[in-house]
Amino acid sequence: MLEVTGLRAGYGEVEILRGVDMAIEPLEIVALLGSNGAGKTTFNAVLSGLNRPTAGGVVFEGRDIAGLDPVAIVEAGLVQVPEGRHVFPNLSVRENLELGGYRRGRANRKSNLERVVAIFPRLRERMDQKAGTLSGGEQQMLAIGRGMMSEPKLLVLDEPSLGLSPMLVEEMFALIGRLNGEGLTILLVEQNVRQSLEIAARAFVMENGAVSLSGPAGELMRDPQLQRSYLGI
Amino acid sequence: MSEFSILLPSVLNGITTGALYALVALGLTLIYGVLHIINFAHGSLLMLALYGVYFLAAGFDIGPYQALVFMPAAMFAVGYVLQRFVIGKASHDRDENILLVTLGLSIVIENLALYFFRSDTRVVDTPWSFETVELLGAFLPLPKVIAFFGALATAAALWVLMTRTDLGKAIRAVAKERKGARLVGIDVDHVFAMSFGIGIACLGIAACLLMPSYYVTPQVGHGFVLIAFTIVVLGGMGSFVGALIGGLFIGVVESLGGLFLGESLGQIGIFAIFILILLFRPTGLLGHKV
Ligand SMILES: Nc1ncnc2c1ncn2[C@@H]1O[C@H](COP(=O)(O)OP(=O)(O)O)[C@@H](O)[C@H]1O
Ligand SMILES: [Mg+2]
């Protein structure tokens, strides 16, 4: 579904991504792991068209999307829920969700909205409340709900568990597993290594802007190098 | 009784003028709220719209109210193109650059107007320019009453646009959260240009409503732009309701100021308010909101 080869990008003169290779098959959860500053968010920004790559290719459903603008990339069905949520604070929860279907999924907006609030009942209670007044966990649900309103083919989640209480983190991972079970392909970007590996099919570990380790999630869980650096064993 | 019979017409007159001020200020506050820039070209674009109305009447026999069919669309196009291809391109995302670009634009537009139209004062005469309407014993000029309702209708339409349409929601989204907007596939540059265009379209409507009871010269925008700035500051930068109430309020202040201090001093009250607000309530009387 997604194939990234030799991807390079950065900010100005500074190169952050130094040749990233990775692939995602339909209906998978793929985890992209790595410590703070490894380049995960930069990678997502390039996927979504917020940053331009300097070299390499991004092929999504057989089409080269490297360097396209975010409008075209959302239109193609690659949708990102960014780190830090970036919900519209001055708009109501309902309006936030409606705008999720601004570019894609317009025809089914009503039924999509019903589906999202069925998944996140807490949003239903807050439909007419300004998004800026929601708690961090609720904002994260809203951000994911907004992403789902555009009927994504591939949903990229950038650190969805960041800043949530341990109980909410559990809930969030369970939910991601459930969305995947309903047929959604997910790229899960996380620092929460153990829980990510539990729900992912495969994983990539990013270090210094390149993939240092990859494979089926079960195998990585037993990898001595990964255990040492990320699982504290 | 005699006090009342002097005050009431003055207050009503002020409210009708104020509605037009509000319309000019609505465009300014919309542009500020979304693009975070103060459009110094607002006054010269109003002037341009007034000339548009004048030439439609003088050259094509199209009256100011018939011009409502053309002017908003024409001014919208001017605003869209200016933002998308001039202001947006020249400013390289730096607010201080945008300030200079809009200031420069206003000087260019004004000098072109001086060159092509000369500094003559021009008016559009209509048969009903001097008709009056009686309200609560006060006689109000018919064009000002029409302008009042026209301005309110425009404000209502703008409110519907901003709260009920995808475009309006996208405009409000972009005002506060550009990255989030890009990630749902909103074309931010297009939305910026739409916002600017809509703000300038308000000037097109204001020009049609204003012309029957007013005049146009190349400098006519100056007076309006200072009043509009005052209203925007008074109502809270970026606030729609604030601009509406602020406009009506300033209209009344000007009118009563004129009554008690004389025509030439009437506007002093407005600038006194401007300075006082900046000193004591810089976020505006109604706070800050888009
Ligand atoms: N807007 C930016 N401008 C310059 N450098 C940046 C910017 N954003 C991130 N970086 C740098 O890029 C590197 C990778 O950051 P990031 O992609 O956010 O990593 P991660 O998401 O894995 O924590 C870091 O060294 C960070 O300082
Ligand atoms: Mg990150």
Side-chain angles (χ1 to χ4, degrees):
Chain A
M1 171 167 256
L2 182 78
E3 210 175 322
V4 177
T5 44
L7 193 69
R8 290 175 178 275
Y11 302 96
E13 298 283 281
V14 189
E15 183 165 75
I16 303 290
L17 302 180
R18 306 156 214 264
V20 177
D21 300 293
M22 71 131 54
I24 299 173
E25 301 299 329
L27 302 181
E28 276 187 324
I29 295 185
V30 169
L32 176 58
L33 308 171
S35 52
N36 216 348
K40 305 181 299 294
T41 296
T42 304
F43 177 74
N44 291 343
V46 176
L47 282 191
S48 286
L50 297 173
N51 284 15
R52 280 175 181 280
T54 49
V58 181
V59 176
F60 180 62
E61 295 207 300
R63 184 168 151 230
D64 186 9
I65 60 163
L68 292 187
D69 64 13
V71 174
I73 288 173
V74 170
E75 210 148 54
L78 198 169
V79 176
Q80 185 194 159
V81 178
E83 184 180 280
R85 293 116 199 187
H86 294 276
V87 295
F88 307 120
N90 53 332
L91 269 57
S92 70
V93 167
R94 182 189 308 277
E95 289 173 324
N96 267 271
L97 292 174
E98 285 167 347
L99 278 184
Y102 180 87
R103 185 63 57 187
R104 259 176 78 84
R106 200 179 283 245
N108 306 326
R109 190 178 284 183
K110 237 183 152 156
S111 53
N112 289 340
L113 204 133
E114 270 312 307
R115 186 169 151 246
V116 167
V117 294
I119 295 170
F120 301 107
R122 245 172 299 185
L123 293 183
R124 192 198 293 280
E125 297 157 22
R126 293 178 171 50
M127 275 317 238
D128 297 310
Q129 197 173 319
K130 294 257 186 291
T133 66
L134 298 181
S135 73
E138 290 163 350
Q139 287 193 10
Q140 187 63 57
M141 293 173 193
L142 178 57
I144 296 177
R146 184 180 69 181
M148 292 177 57
M149 289 294 292
S150 58
E151 303 178 351
K153 296 176 181 164
L154 170 62
L155 188 66
V156 180
L157 300 172
D158 196 341
E159 304 223 27
S161 72
L162 195 70
L164 302 190
S165 69
M167 217 178 75
L168 266 181
V169 171
E170 279 295 328
E171 203 180 306
M172 189 59 73
F173 277 99
L175 179 101
I176 292 166
R178 225 174 84 212
L179 291 179
N180 174 250
E182 288 170 16
L184 185 59
T185 312
I186 293 173
L187 173 61
L188 175 62
V189 179
E190 265 294 341
Q191 293 193 48
N192 220 321
V193 173
R194 188 189 304 273
Q195 274 157 309
S196 303
L197 288 178
E198 274 168 13
I199 61 169
R202 292 182 305 120
F204 293 81
V205 178
M206 188 177 275
E207 261 174 60
N208 269 320
V211 173
S212 62
L213 202 64
S214 66
E219 272 174 39
L220 284 186
M221 194 85 94
R222 291 186 298 275
D223 186 280
Q225 188 198 333
L226 187 106
Q227 286 185 344
R228 243 192 337 274
S229 351
Y230 296 99
L231 295 175
I233 299 176
Chain B
M1 170 62 210
S2 69
E3 283 277 298
F4 185 73
S5 66
I6 299 176
L7 279 185
L8 183 70
S10 181
V11 168
L12 289 177
N13 224 319
I15 287 177
T16 54
T17 311
L20 273 178
Y21 290 163
L23 192 49
V24 175
L26 273 177
L28 195 64
T29 213
L30 169 66
I31 291 169
Y32 178 81
V34 179
L35 291 123
H36 310 302
I37 59 167
I38 293 169
N39 176 28
F40 279 109
H42 216 62
S44 13
L45 288 168
L46 175 64
M47 175 267 288
L48 209 61
L50 284 165
Y51 273 110
V53 177
Y54 171 79
F55 282 116
L56 281 176
F60 303 93
D61 212 21
I62 295 172
Y65 296 145
Q66 290 160 294
L68 277 169
V69 179
F70 310 100
M71 286 311 294
M75 292 309 289
F76 169 83
V78 168
Y80 187 97
V81 168
L82 270 184
Q83 165 58 30
R84 183 117 208 200
F85 302 106
V86 182
I87 300 172
K89 290 270 188 274
S91 55
H92 302 285
D93 281 336
R94 305 205 19 202
D95 286 356
E96 63 271 28
N97 289 358
I98 301 180
L99 217 91
L100 290 178
V101 173
T102 63
L103 193 61
L105 263 177
S106 75
I107 294 169
V108 169
I109 294 172
E110 219 166 274
N111 281 299
L112 286 176
L114 261 175
Y115 179 79
F116 284 110
F117 309 145
R118 297 185 310 281
S119 55
D120 311 357
T121 300
R122 297 165 201 256
V123 294
V124 174
D125 282 320
T126 57
W128 30 263
S129 279
F130 296 101
E131 271 183 44
T132 56
V133 181
E134 194 188 340
L135 184 68
L136 304 172
F139 290 91
L140 297 168
L142 178 62
K144 294 190 83 173
V145 174
I146 293 175
F148 173 76
F149 286 109
L152 286 197
T154 307
L158 214 51
W159 185 80
V160 170
L161 173 83
M162 294 299 282
T163 56
R164 293 282 180 271
T165 69
D166 265 18
L167 173 65
K169 290 170 201 163
I171 288 175
R172 285 157 54 220
V174 164
K176 279 284 182 317
E177 180 46 71
R178 293 179 191 177
K179 183 169 179 183
R182 286 202 169 89
L183 288 175
V184 298
I186 291 173
D187 181 344
V188 171
D189 290 335
H190 170 71
V191 168
F192 277 169
M194 291 298 285
S195 309
F196 205 90
I198 292 167
I200 303 307
C202 289
L203 296 179
I205 297 172
C208 296
L209 296 174
L210 189 60
M211 202 61 203
S213 59
Y214 214 67
Y215 60 88
V216 57
T217 69
Q219 292 88 12
V220 73
H222 296 176
F224 282 93
V225 95
L226 267 166
I227 289 172
F229 281 152
T230 307
I231 293 167
V232 169
V233 169
L234 178 72
M237 309 288 279
S239 162
F240 269 44
V241 179
L244 202 57
I245 296 172
L248 298 178
F249 178 70
I250 289 292
V252 172
V253 166
E254 185 190 40
S255 179
L256 289 179
L259 186 66
F260 292 116
L261 304 172
E263 278 297 325
S264 52
L265 288 178
Q267 291 205 333
I268 284 187
I270 297 175
F271 300 120
I273 289 176
F274 186 61
I275 303 293
L276 287 175
I277 299 264
L278 282 183
L279 285 176
F280 297 111
R281 266 315 285 259
T283 53
L285 290 183
L286 298 175
H288 185 131
K289 214 161 105 201
V290 169

